[in-house]
Amino acid sequence: MKSLFSKPGALALGALLLASGCTDRFTEINTNPTTYSQTNFDGNYLLAQEQLTYTGSTDFAFETWRGNLIYCATMMQGMSTVISYWAGDKYLLNEGYTGAYWERAYSEQVKPATDLVVFTAGKDQYKNLHQIARIMRALIMERITDLYGDAPYTQAGQGYYQGIITPAYDPQMAIYNDLIKEVTEASAALDPNADIPSGDVYYKGNIAQWQRFSNTLLLRLGMRLSKVDPAKAQQIAAQVQGKTMTSDADNAYVLFDVAGGRATQNRNSQVLLGDGGQEHYYVKWSKTFIDYLQTNNDPRLSKIAATQLYLSDGNKTQNANFVTTAAVQKGLPNGRDLSGRPAYDVSTAPGYTTFPDYSSPNPGMTKRTGPAFILTYAESELLLADAAQRFSLTTGGSAASHYSAGVTAAMTYLSQYDATMAVAPADIATYLAAHPYAAAQGLEQINTQYWALTNTMLDFYESWSNWRRTGFPVLTPVVYPGNATNGTIPRRFPYPLSEITSNPNNYATAKAAVNGGDFLTGRVYWDK
């Protein structure tokens, strides 16, 4: 069982914050040996903070709501909605939403990650914690640069240490080169005989699992470059053979609790349960996704989807007698609304009946205490399958064997959400027998499965990144009036408007360098 915070950790963080506040007892507090300072503060508390905020902001899932769900989930046709402010479903531009991840990530993720790297450097008691801090910073920066492209990296989080308040943007190619270096070095430096980080929510300080995590992350970093630098991608894929995750037990995830209110509850769940609006009723699995699962008799369908989850009463009450039968699941088409316009109103969609008939995520996936998945064994195996197929790698297993392991794990891991979501081994075997690996369509098979997996993980950031890298699955774009992309699926988030005033010169340079312009249609370095 993985818990979010220990009570002493929370108290220590609170003490540190209080000690840094305004007081008329400045001298006493700053000479009192029982107060926290850089000399006696335990860096493990910062690790727990990083791992929490990587799952989403403590400020009511701010960027999770806007970036992961409103945009990425619907652009990737994992989810769909008729809610008007869910701009991603129709490729509309809401710059406050597309900039949300940047604005929260730098303050709530990059800053503490940088602090932890600096704080633990050269300290023997924090040998492993320092390496984990480097890996965590790489994990955080990978997502930022994948969403936006060039971004502050080398100088990010250096305001306190170097007085840099307008950090330069590093080119994404340089960022990726350094991320690969950092993760490679940190993984090699992890020492099972050194410190056991006590603030580690993912693995409780298990260094062997951190080594497998870091090599899986390194594989993902390398494979991002498969179109723009295939030689490097191949070299990294070969380098990590036999060193990546080995089972669902290696899955990295955070389990939440309700004691801390919104700050310690699952971010996706807060939104999908309707804490901020009517998302619980109007956000559904997409028709594209449900049709894919249904057409292929995928045993995941009856585990992840539920119809009749909410009643059509005034309060849209959750129905205890929801239905999970695969045959009746129904996906909501993307690009529909409640406008009354015949071509776009959901009531005019073919097969429309009532809103409760459309499939919602199974309640087992949206528990406030449920897991937020960070990186999984299934992802690792599917990436290894891609590498084996793409580069004809002959060591570490065939594309077919990795594909089979990846699809299997993409089903078995669902039990980590809730025991009721477990897929029977016989059903997995039947599915694989009906959908054997075929090398001629290998990359499409592998990466369509990766899409299905990351959709069920509710990690739509990753679903979008891998789709941009591979082009799979082949998705039919939405055409909606006033869209910002000429009817094409967006390729990146524009830089936030706040950069115009807070970091104008560096912003101007980065904006001018974007391939295709600083728009939803521009492209990041590795997206060719």
Coordinates of all heavy atoms in Angstrom, one line a residue, residues 457-490:
M457 N -5.3 4.8 -18.4 CA -4.5 5.3 -17.3 C -5.0 6.7 -16.9 O -4.5 7.3 -15.9 CB -3.0 5.3 -17.6 CG -2.4 4.0 -17.7 SD -0.7 4.1 -18.4 CE 0.1 5.3 -17.3
L458 N -5.8 7.3 -17.8 CA -6.2 8.7 -17.7 C -5.0 9.7 -17.8 O -5.0 10.8 -17.3 CB -7.0 9.0 -16.4 CG -8.2 8.1 -16.2 CD1 -8.9 8.5 -14.8 CD2 -9.2 8.2 -17.3
D459 N -4.0 9.2 -18.5 CA -2.8 10.0 -18.7 C -2.8 10.4 -20.2 O -2.2 9.9 -21.1 CB -1.5 9.2 -18.5 CG -0.2 10.1 -18.6 OD1 -0.4 11.3 -19.0 OD2 0.9 9.5 -18.4
F460 N -3.7 11.4 -20.5 CA -3.9 11.8 -21.8 C -2.8 12.7 -22.3 O -2.6 12.9 -23.6 CB -5.2 12.5 -21.9 CG -6.4 11.7 -21.5 CD1 -7.0 11.8 -20.3 CD2 -6.8 10.6 -22.4 CE1 -8.1 11.0 -19.9 CE2 -7.9 9.8 -22.0 CZ -8.5 10.0 -20.8
Y461 N -2.0 13.3 -21.4 CA -0.7 14.0 -21.9 C 0.1 13.0 -22.7 O 0.6 13.3 -23.8 CB 0.1 14.4 -20.7 CG -0.5 15.5 -19.8 CD1 -0.7 15.2 -18.4 CD2 -0.9 16.7 -20.3 CE1 -1.2 16.2 -17.6 CE2 -1.4 17.7 -19.4 CZ -1.6 17.4 -18.1 OH -2.1 18.3 -17.2
E462 N 0.3 11.8 -22.1 CA 1.2 10.8 -22.7 C 0.5 10.2 -24.0 O 1.2 10.0 -25.0 CB 1.5 9.7 -21.8 CG 2.4 8.6 -22.3 CD 3.7 9.1 -22.8 OE1 4.2 10.2 -22.3 OE2 4.4 8.4 -23.6
S463 N -0.8 10.1 -24.0 CA -1.5 9.6 -25.2 C -1.3 10.6 -26.3 O -1.0 10.2 -27.5 CB -3.0 9.5 -24.8 OG -3.8 9.0 -25.9
W464 N -1.4 11.9 -26.1 CA -1.2 12.9 -27.1 C 0.3 12.9 -27.6 O 0.5 12.9 -28.8 CB -1.5 14.3 -26.6 CG -1.5 15.4 -27.6 CD1 -1.9 15.3 -28.9 CD2 -1.2 16.8 -27.3 NE1 -1.8 16.5 -29.5 CE2 -1.4 17.5 -28.6 CE3 -0.8 17.5 -26.2 CZ2 -1.2 18.8 -28.7 CZ3 -0.6 18.8 -26.3 CH2 -0.8 19.5 -27.5
S465 N 1.2 12.8 -26.7 CA 2.7 12.8 -27.1 C 3.0 11.6 -28.0 O 3.6 11.7 -29.0 CB 3.6 12.8 -25.9 OG 3.5 14.0 -25.2
N466 N 2.5 10.4 -27.6 CA 2.8 9.2 -28.4 C 2.1 9.2 -29.7 O 2.6 8.7 -30.7 CB 2.5 7.9 -27.6 CG 3.3 6.7 -28.2 OD1 4.5 6.7 -28.2 ND2 2.5 5.8 -28.8
W467 N 0.9 9.8 -29.8 CA 0.2 9.9 -31.0 C 1.0 10.8 -32.0 O 1.1 10.5 -33.2 CB -1.2 10.4 -30.8 CG -2.0 10.7 -32.1 CD1 -2.6 9.8 -32.9 CD2 -2.1 12.0 -32.7 NE1 -3.2 10.4 -34.0 CE2 -2.8 11.8 -33.9 CE3 -1.6 13.3 -32.4 CZ2 -3.1 12.8 -34.8 CZ3 -1.9 14.3 -33.3 CH2 -2.7 14.1 -34.5
R468 N 1.5 11.9 -31.5 CA 2.2 12.9 -32.3 C 3.5 12.2 -32.8 O 4.0 12.5 -33.9 CB 2.6 14.1 -31.5 CG 1.3 15.0 -31.3 CD 1.7 16.3 -30.5 NE 2.0 16.0 -29.1 CZ 2.7 16.8 -28.3 NH1 3.4 17.8 -28.8 NH2 2.9 16.4 -27.0
R469 N 4.1 11.4 -32.0 CA 5.4 10.7 -32.3 C 5.1 9.7 -33.4 O 5.9 9.5 -34.4 CB 6.0 10.0 -31.1 CG 7.2 9.2 -31.5 CD 7.8 8.5 -30.2 NE 7.0 7.3 -29.9 CZ 7.2 6.1 -30.3 NH1 8.2 5.9 -31.3 NH2 6.5 5.1 -29.9
T470 N 4.0 8.9 -33.4 CA 3.8 7.8 -34.3 C 2.7 8.0 -35.3 O 2.8 7.3 -36.3 CB 3.4 6.5 -33.4 OG1 2.1 6.7 -32.8 CG2 4.5 6.3 -32.3
G471 N 1.8 8.8 -35.1 CA 0.6 9.0 -36.0 C -0.4 7.9 -35.8 O -1.4 7.9 -36.5
F472 N -0.3 7.1 -34.7 CA -1.3 6.0 -34.5 C -1.9 6.2 -33.1 O -1.2 6.6 -32.2 CB -0.6 4.6 -34.6 CG -0.1 4.3 -35.9 CD1 1.3 4.0 -36.1 CD2 -0.9 4.3 -37.0 CE1 1.8 3.7 -37.4 CE2 -0.4 4.0 -38.3 CZ 0.9 3.7 -38.5
P473 N -3.2 5.9 -33.0 CA -4.1 5.4 -34.1 C -4.4 6.5 -35.1 O -4.2 7.7 -34.8 CB -5.4 5.0 -33.3 CG -5.4 5.9 -32.1 CD -4.0 6.1 -31.7
V474 N -4.9 6.1 -36.2 CA -5.4 7.1 -37.2 C -6.7 7.7 -36.7 O -7.7 6.9 -36.6 CB -5.5 6.5 -38.6 CG1 -6.0 7.5 -39.6 CG2 -4.1 5.9 -39.0
L475 N -6.8 8.9 -36.4 CA -8.0 9.5 -35.9 C -8.6 10.5 -36.9 O -7.9 11.2 -37.6 CB -7.7 10.3 -34.6 CG -7.1 9.5 -33.4 CD1 -6.7 10.5 -32.3 CD2 -8.1 8.5 -32.9
T476 N -9.9 10.5 -37.0 CA -10.6 11.4 -37.9 C -10.8 12.7 -37.1 O -11.5 12.7 -36.1 CB -11.9 10.8 -38.3 OG1 -11.7 9.6 -39.0 CG2 -12.7 11.8 -39.3
P477 N -10.3 13.8 -37.6 CA -10.4 15.1 -36.9 C -11.9 15.6 -36.8 O -12.7 15.3 -37.7 CB -9.5 16.1 -37.7 CG -8.6 15.2 -38.5 CD -9.4 14.0 -38.8
V478 N -12.1 16.4 -35.8 CA -13.4 17.1 -35.7 C -13.4 18.4 -36.5 O -12.3 19.0 -36.6 CB -13.7 17.4 -34.2 CG1 -14.8 18.4 -34.0 CG2 -13.9 16.1 -33.4
V479 N -14.5 18.7 -37.2 CA -14.6 20.0 -37.9 C -15.7 20.7 -37.2 O -16.9 20.3 -37.2 CB -14.9 19.8 -39.3 CG1 -15.0 21.2 -40.0 CG2 -13.8 19.0 -40.0
Y480 N -15.4 21.8 -36.5 CA -16.3 22.6 -35.7 C -16.2 24.1 -36.0 O -15.0 24.5 -36.2 CB -16.0 22.3 -34.2 CG -17.1 22.9 -33.3 CD1 -18.3 22.1 -33.0 CD2 -16.9 24.1 -32.6 CE1 -19.2 22.6 -32.1 CE2 -17.9 24.6 -31.8 CZ -19.0 23.8 -31.5 OH -20.0 24.3 -30.7
P481 N -17.2 24.8 -36.1 CA -17.2 26.2 -36.4 C -16.2 27.0 -35.5 O -16.3 26.8 -34.3 CB -18.6 26.7 -36.3 CG -19.5 25.5 -36.4 CD -18.6 24.4 -35.8
G482 N -15.4 27.8 -36.1 CA -14.5 28.7 -35.3 C -13.3 28.0 -34.8 O -12.6 28.6 -34.0
N483 N -13.0 26.8 -35.2 CA -11.8 26.1 -34.7 C -10.6 26.8 -35.1 O -10.5 27.5 -36.1 CB -11.8 24.6 -35.1 CG -11.4 24.4 -36.5 OD1 -10.3 24.4 -36.9 ND2 -12.4 24.3 -37.4
A484 N -9.5 26.6 -34.3 CA -8.2 27.3 -34.4 C -7.2 26.5 -35.2 O -6.1 27.0 -35.3 CB -7.7 27.6 -33.0
T485 N -7.6 25.4 -35.8 CA -6.6 24.6 -36.5 C -6.9 24.2 -37.9 O -6.3 23.3 -38.5 CB -6.4 23.3 -35.7 OG1 -7.6 22.5 -35.8 CG2 -6.0 23.5 -34.2
N486 N -7.9 24.8 -38.5 CA -8.4 24.5 -39.8 C -8.8 23.0 -39.9 O -8.6 22.3 -40.9 CB -7.3 24.8 -40.9 CG -7.9 24.8 -42.3 OD1 -9.1 25.1 -42.5 ND2 -7.1 24.5 -43.3
G487 N -9.4 22.6 -38.8 CA -9.9 21.2 -38.8 C -8.9 20.1 -38.7 O -9.1 19.0 -39.1
T488 N -7.7 20.4 -38.1 CA -6.7 19.4 -37.8 C -6.5 19.2 -36.3 O -6.7 20.2 -35.6 CB -5.4 19.7 -38.5 OG1 -4.9 21.0 -37.9 CG2 -5.5 19.9 -40.0
I489 N -6.0 18.0 -35.9 CA -5.8 17.8 -34.5 C -4.6 18.6 -34.0 O -3.5 18.6 -34.7 CB -5.6 16.3 -34.3 CG1 -6.8 15.5 -34.7 CG2 -5.2 16.0 -32.8 CD1 -6.7 14.0 -34.6
P490 N -4.7 19.4 -32.9 CA -3.6 20.2 -32.5 C -2.3 19.4 -32.2 O -2.3 18.2 -31.9 CB -4.1 20.8 -31.2 CG -5.6 20.9 -31.4 CD -5.9 19.6 -32.2

